[in-house]
Amino acid sequence: MMFFRRPGIWILILIIACSMLVRPDRESLAGVVAPPPPLGEPAFSRSEALTPDYTGCGGQNAAVINASYEQQVVNLVNAERAARSLPPLKRVSLLDNAARYHATDMAQDNYFSHDTYDRSGGSLVLRCAWSERITAYYTNWSNLGENIAAGYLTPAEVMNAWMNSDGHRANILRDTFWEIGVGYFEGAGSYYRYWAQDFGRRNGVYPVVINNDADSTDSQDVELYIYGVWSEMRIRNNADTWTSWQPFQNRVSWQLPPNSGLHTVSVEMRKTGQTAASSDTINLDLPIRAQLGNLPDSISLTYSIPSQRFLPPDVVSVTPQNIGDETILSWQVDTLDNWYELIPTTGNTPDNFILAANNFITDTIGAYTGAFTVTVTSPGGTIGSPHRTAVSLTVTDAPIYTIYLPAMIR
């Protein structure tokens, strides 16, 4: 273990023994038993302020080579943390860009180091320290770390190697890190495949993490982790209505809207003298299932005393439908109101029922309100069931006029 002092910065680097081996021929990698590829030295830094020189030191966004590999590494990191009751890390594009740049740069300039080099005239020229390179993307940090590796074939292989190294495992499980980025490159350099994990925590940033930062889910029910220590919080989906303020807790069970697609969960937190807001997104990919639909949220009727008729007519037809899959839905409709009838009260899609207003005082101005509920009795678990429809009737002394407009045909 070694300590280095820079103005305003303490940098701690955990040194582990590693063997820089010449990688066997690419085509034979999967078929030979070779010594383990290099892991590099896990790096960790804590700083309140850093003013680096960015020249020749990152700042560009490298192309994504394998998005699935990068997400798998995030998933494996958070699985290891969950197994030890540690909070999940939030994947952020700033650290992704820093890690991906470094994985690409190591391959293209054919070197293996946390610090950033350029190759000039066949020789490597140091450009900047690893923490300076990351800060070109990820500013205002209070904690920073990095793991690198080369030559490993899959996310599972490289994670297994990191977890079997004390220093690298410490970075993965460090509770002072709240965010992560992953970079992967293949196609150049002595080891052909290069990996980088960058870890960090920023001042004033309190991540929200859905389902251990998985990129998708097939269930509306998700788990949130909210960083920080707060008194109260409120939550919402997308641009929906906020919940009421409630006592803060780091772990929260939450439900996404019942439709597939990308959803954002936003959280606002507060305590005396401080507020913060954060959000996370996840893609909901629900299996196709039965869904009750084609039902109005409200029905309004008007009865004119002098005209002795309704506007619209006193009988309204309602047709429940399955707007999800092809399953036939069995439904029933219920109400506690007695100023109208529902006929019939049970059926199967595509059957309809009618609402008939026929039990009210027809010569007295007044207003009637109520509601009916359509419930799917089979199959169970149908989305959108039960559905409540509000019903209102206004009895007025205003006449209803019928106006005829002439039609001209040329």
Side-chain angles (χ1 to χ4, degrees), residues 49-61:
L50 183 65
T51 307
D53 178 5
Y54 297 123
T55 303
C57 189
Q60 296 176 311
N61 295 338

mmCIF file with all atom_site columns, all heavy atoms in Angstrom, residues 49-61:
data_model
loop_
_atom_site.group_PDB
_atom_site.id
_atom_site.type_symbol
_atom_site.label_atom_id
_atom_site.label_alt_id
_atom_site.label_comp_id
_atom_site.label_asym_id
_atom_site.label_entity_id
_atom_site.label_seq_id
_atom_site.pdbx_PDB_ins_code
_atom_site.Cartn_x
_atom_site.Cartn_y
_atom_site.Cartn_z
_atom_site.occupancy
_atom_site.B_iso_or_equiv
_atom_site.pdbx_formal_charge
_atom_site.auth_seq_id
_atom_site.auth_comp_id
_atom_site.auth_asym_id
_atom_site.auth_atom_id
_atom_site.pdbx_PDB_model_num
ATOM 1  N N   . ALA A 1 49 ? -11.011 18.922 -4.063  1.00 0.00 ? 49 ALA A N   1
ATOM 2  C CA  . ALA A 1 49 ? -10.870 19.818 -5.214  1.00 0.00 ? 49 ALA A CA  1
ATOM 3  C C   . ALA A 1 49 ? -9.754  19.302 -6.104  1.00 0.00 ? 49 ALA A C   1
ATOM 4  O O   . ALA A 1 49 ? -8.755  18.790 -5.632  1.00 0.00 ? 49 ALA A O   1
ATOM 5  C CB  . ALA A 1 49 ? -10.552 21.249 -4.761  1.00 0.00 ? 49 ALA A CB  1
ATOM 6  N N   . LEU A 1 50 ? -9.957  19.420 -7.406  1.00 0.00 ? 50 LEU A N   1
ATOM 7  C CA  . LEU A 1 50 ? -8.947  18.960 -8.350  1.00 0.00 ? 50 LEU A CA  1
ATOM 8  C C   . LEU A 1 50 ? -8.999  19.846 -9.573  1.00 0.00 ? 50 LEU A C   1
ATOM 9  O O   . LEU A 1 50 ? -10.058 20.066 -10.145 1.00 0.00 ? 50 LEU A O   1
ATOM 10 C CB  . LEU A 1 50 ? -9.206  17.504 -8.740  1.00 0.00 ? 50 LEU A CB  1
ATOM 11 C CG  . LEU A 1 50 ? -8.190  16.860 -9.678  1.00 0.00 ? 50 LEU A CG  1
ATOM 12 C CD1 . LEU A 1 50 ? -6.835  16.773 -8.984  1.00 0.00 ? 50 LEU A CD1 1
ATOM 13 C CD2 . LEU A 1 50 ? -8.649  15.467 -10.085 1.00 0.00 ? 50 LEU A CD2 1
ATOM 14 N N   . THR A 1 51 ? -7.871  20.409 -9.967  1.00 0.00 ? 51 THR A N   1
ATOM 15 C CA  . THR A 1 51 ? -7.808  21.252 -11.152 1.00 0.00 ? 51 THR A CA  1
ATOM 16 C C   . THR A 1 51 ? -6.756  20.679 -12.083 1.00 0.00 ? 51 THR A C   1
ATOM 17 O O   . THR A 1 51 ? -5.577  21.023 -12.012 1.00 0.00 ? 51 THR A O   1
ATOM 18 C CB  . THR A 1 51 ? -7.447  22.708 -10.783 1.00 0.00 ? 51 THR A CB  1
ATOM 19 O OG1 . THR A 1 51 ? -8.347  23.167 -9.787  1.00 0.00 ? 51 THR A OG1 1
ATOM 20 C CG2 . THR A 1 51 ? -7.539  23.607 -12.001 1.00 0.00 ? 51 THR A CG2 1
ATOM 21 N N   . PRO A 1 52 ? -7.168  19.746 -12.938 1.00 0.00 ? 52 PRO A N   1
ATOM 22 C CA  . PRO A 1 52 ? -6.186  19.070 -13.787 1.00 0.00 ? 52 PRO A CA  1
ATOM 23 C C   . PRO A 1 52 ? -5.927  19.803 -15.090 1.00 0.00 ? 52 PRO A C   1
ATOM 24 O O   . PRO A 1 52 ? -6.640  20.721 -15.474 1.00 0.00 ? 52 PRO A O   1
ATOM 25 C CB  . PRO A 1 52 ? -6.867  17.720 -14.059 1.00 0.00 ? 52 PRO A CB  1
ATOM 26 C CG  . PRO A 1 52 ? -8.313  18.094 -14.124 1.00 0.00 ? 52 PRO A CG  1
ATOM 27 C CD  . PRO A 1 52 ? -8.503  19.205 -13.123 1.00 0.00 ? 52 PRO A CD  1
ATOM 28 N N   . ASP A 1 53 ? -4.880  19.367 -15.763 1.00 0.00 ? 53 ASP A N   1
ATOM 29 C CA  . ASP A 1 53 ? -4.598  19.814 -17.114 1.00 0.00 ? 53 ASP A CA  1
ATOM 30 C C   . ASP A 1 53 ? -5.153  18.753 -18.052 1.00 0.00 ? 53 ASP A C   1
ATOM 31 O O   . ASP A 1 53 ? -4.700  17.621 -18.078 1.00 0.00 ? 53 ASP A O   1
ATOM 32 C CB  . ASP A 1 53 ? -3.080  19.964 -17.310 1.00 0.00 ? 53 ASP A CB  1
ATOM 33 C CG  . ASP A 1 53 ? -2.732  20.376 -18.728 1.00 0.00 ? 53 ASP A CG  1
ATOM 34 O OD1 . ASP A 1 53 ? -3.654  20.643 -19.529 1.00 0.00 ? 53 ASP A OD1 1
ATOM 35 O OD2 . ASP A 1 53 ? -1.530  20.432 -19.032 1.00 0.00 ? 53 ASP A OD2 1
ATOM 36 N N   . TYR A 1 54 ? -6.175  19.131 -18.857 1.00 0.00 ? 54 TYR A N   1
ATOM 37 C CA  . TYR A 1 54 ? -6.837  18.136 -19.684 1.00 0.00 ? 54 TYR A CA  1
ATOM 38 C C   . TYR A 1 54 ? -6.108  17.828 -20.987 1.00 0.00 ? 54 TYR A C   1
ATOM 39 O O   . TYR A 1 54 ? -6.498  16.928 -21.708 1.00 0.00 ? 54 TYR A O   1
ATOM 40 C CB  . TYR A 1 54 ? -8.256  18.613 -20.051 1.00 0.00 ? 54 TYR A CB  1
ATOM 41 C CG  . TYR A 1 54 ? -9.161  18.794 -18.869 1.00 0.00 ? 54 TYR A CG  1
ATOM 42 C CD1 . TYR A 1 54 ? -9.766  20.027 -18.623 1.00 0.00 ? 54 TYR A CD1 1
ATOM 43 C CD2 . TYR A 1 54 ? -9.423  17.752 -17.996 1.00 0.00 ? 54 TYR A CD2 1
ATOM 44 C CE1 . TYR A 1 54 ? -10.607 20.197 -17.547 1.00 0.00 ? 54 TYR A CE1 1
ATOM 45 C CE2 . TYR A 1 54 ? -10.264 17.926 -16.921 1.00 0.00 ? 54 TYR A CE2 1
ATOM 46 C CZ  . TYR A 1 54 ? -10.855 19.146 -16.705 1.00 0.00 ? 54 TYR A CZ  1
ATOM 47 O OH  . TYR A 1 54 ? -11.683 19.321 -15.631 1.00 0.00 ? 54 TYR A OH  1
ATOM 48 N N   . THR A 1 55 ? -5.064  18.560 -21.334 1.00 0.00 ? 55 THR A N   1
ATOM 49 C CA  . THR A 1 55 ? -4.408  18.390 -22.625 1.00 0.00 ? 55 THR A CA  1
ATOM 50 C C   . THR A 1 55 ? -3.912  16.960 -22.810 1.00 0.00 ? 55 THR A C   1
ATOM 51 O O   . THR A 1 55 ? -3.178  16.434 -21.971 1.00 0.00 ? 55 THR A O   1
ATOM 52 C CB  . THR A 1 55 ? -3.220  19.367 -22.748 1.00 0.00 ? 55 THR A CB  1
ATOM 53 O OG1 . THR A 1 55 ? -3.694  20.689 -22.568 1.00 0.00 ? 55 THR A OG1 1
ATOM 54 C CG2 . THR A 1 55 ? -2.560  19.232 -24.104 1.00 0.00 ? 55 THR A CG2 1
ATOM 55 N N   . GLY A 1 56 ? -4.321  16.337 -23.935 1.00 0.00 ? 56 GLY A N   1
ATOM 56 C CA  . GLY A 1 56 ? -3.926  14.968 -24.215 1.00 0.00 ? 56 GLY A CA  1
ATOM 57 C C   . GLY A 1 56 ? -4.418  13.972 -23.189 1.00 0.00 ? 56 GLY A C   1
ATOM 58 O O   . GLY A 1 56 ? -3.797  12.926 -23.003 1.00 0.00 ? 56 GLY A O   1
ATOM 59 N N   . CYS A 1 57 ? -5.537  14.313 -22.557 1.00 0.00 ? 57 CYS A N   1
ATOM 60 C CA  . CYS A 1 57 ? -5.957  13.531 -21.389 1.00 0.00 ? 57 CYS A CA  1
ATOM 61 C C   . CYS A 1 57 ? -7.446  13.257 -21.452 1.00 0.00 ? 57 CYS A C   1
ATOM 62 O O   . CYS A 1 57 ? -8.208  13.695 -20.602 1.00 0.00 ? 57 CYS A O   1
ATOM 63 C CB  . CYS A 1 57 ? -5.589  14.291 -20.126 1.00 0.00 ? 57 CYS A CB  1
ATOM 64 S SG  . CYS A 1 57 ? -5.820  13.341 -18.613 1.00 0.00 ? 57 CYS A SG  1
ATOM 65 N N   . GLY A 1 58 ? -7.890  12.544 -22.460 1.00 0.00 ? 58 GLY A N   1
ATOM 66 C CA  . GLY A 1 58 ? -9.306  12.214 -22.572 1.00 0.00 ? 58 GLY A CA  1
ATOM 67 C C   . GLY A 1 58 ? -10.130 13.393 -23.036 1.00 0.00 ? 58 GLY A C   1
ATOM 68 O O   . GLY A 1 58 ? -9.659  14.285 -23.744 1.00 0.00 ? 58 GLY A O   1
ATOM 69 N N   . GLY A 1 59 ? -11.390 13.400 -22.624 1.00 0.00 ? 59 GLY A N   1
ATOM 70 C CA  . GLY A 1 59 ? -12.306 14.453 -23.032 1.00 0.00 ? 59 GLY A CA  1
ATOM 71 C C   . GLY A 1 59 ? -13.138 14.090 -24.242 1.00 0.00 ? 59 GLY A C   1
ATOM 72 O O   . GLY A 1 59 ? -14.131 14.752 -24.531 1.00 0.00 ? 59 GLY A O   1
ATOM 73 N N   . GLN A 1 60 ? -12.727 13.049 -24.970 1.00 0.00 ? 60 GLN A N   1
ATOM 74 C CA  . GLN A 1 60 ? -13.503 12.601 -26.128 1.00 0.00 ? 60 GLN A CA  1
ATOM 75 C C   . GLN A 1 60 ? -14.318 11.375 -25.756 1.00 0.00 ? 60 GLN A C   1
ATOM 76 O O   . GLN A 1 60 ? -13.951 10.601 -24.877 1.00 0.00 ? 60 GLN A O   1
ATOM 77 C CB  . GLN A 1 60 ? -12.571 12.277 -27.300 1.00 0.00 ? 60 GLN A CB  1
ATOM 78 C CG  . GLN A 1 60 ? -11.810 13.477 -27.831 1.00 0.00 ? 60 GLN A CG  1
ATOM 79 C CD  . GLN A 1 60 ? -10.821 13.079 -28.919 1.00 0.00 ? 60 GLN A CD  1
ATOM 80 O OE1 . GLN A 1 60 ? -10.057 12.137 -28.738 1.00 0.00 ? 60 GLN A OE1 1
ATOM 81 N NE2 . GLN A 1 60 ? -10.849 13.792 -30.036 1.00 0.00 ? 60 GLN A NE2 1
ATOM 82 N N   . ASN A 1 61 ? -15.457 11.190 -26.442 1.00 0.00 ? 61 ASN A N   1
ATOM 83 C CA  . ASN A 1 61 ? -16.323 10.048 -26.179 1.00 0.00 ? 61 ASN A CA  1
ATOM 84 C C   . ASN A 1 61 ? -16.050 8.947  -27.198 1.00 0.00 ? 61 ASN A C   1
ATOM 85 O O   . ASN A 1 61 ? -16.329 9.100  -28.385 1.00 0.00 ? 61 ASN A O   1
ATOM 86 C CB  . ASN A 1 61 ? -17.794 10.462 -26.240 1.00 0.00 ? 61 ASN A CB  1
ATOM 87 C CG  . ASN A 1 61 ? -18.158 11.449 -25.147 1.00 0.00 ? 61 ASN A CG  1
ATOM 88 O OD1 . ASN A 1 61 ? -17.485 11.530 -24.117 1.00 0.00 ? 61 ASN A OD1 1
ATOM 89 N ND2 . ASN A 1 61 ? -19.217 12.203 -25.353 1.00 0.00 ? 61 ASN A ND2 1
#
